[in-house]
Amino acid sequence: EDVYFDATNISPRGRRSLLEAIPHDRAYADIIIVPLKTALERNASRERHVPEDVIRSMHRRFVMPSCDEGFETVRAIYSERGLEEERHR
């Protein structure tokens, strides 16, 4: 059975408990990369928005997931460029 997490786990530490709960050969990360400027613009247009300083802080602290953490595959999807980059163990 597949399980999907839609979360803002910006660091290996934040992702650790999720990875411990599933077999490593079934752990895949799909990361949608959005430029900070785009994220701020989208946030400003929402009815309920996140404070700008929170978004900027999360952007600064973000660590791209890697297979070294235990993911079988990490796929980065660059929303502005329509590009994909995939890494496997």
Side-chain angles (χ1 to χ4, degrees), residues 15-72:
R15 296 184 286 264
R16 187 175 305 130
S17 63
L18 298 175
L19 285 167
E20 289 172 353
I22 55 176
H24 286 237
D25 65 334
R26 302 214 29 199
Y28 301 91
D30 286 339
I31 308 300
I32 300 171
I33 307 295
V34 178
L36 177 59
K37 179 182 177 198
T38 302
L40 292 170
E41 288 169 354
R42 289 178 182 173
N43 182 58
S45 70
R46 292 188 175 117
E47 197 171 305
R48 291 179 49 210
H49 62 272
V50 176
E52 185 175 317
D53 61 314
V54 172
I55 294 173
R56 288 182 181 281
S57 173
M58 292 177 76
H59 180 264
R60 263 192 320 274
R61 294 181 295 128
F62 175 74
V63 177
M64 184 69 165
S66 75
C67 293
D68 292 340
E69 290 178 55
F71 289 104
E72 179 66 25

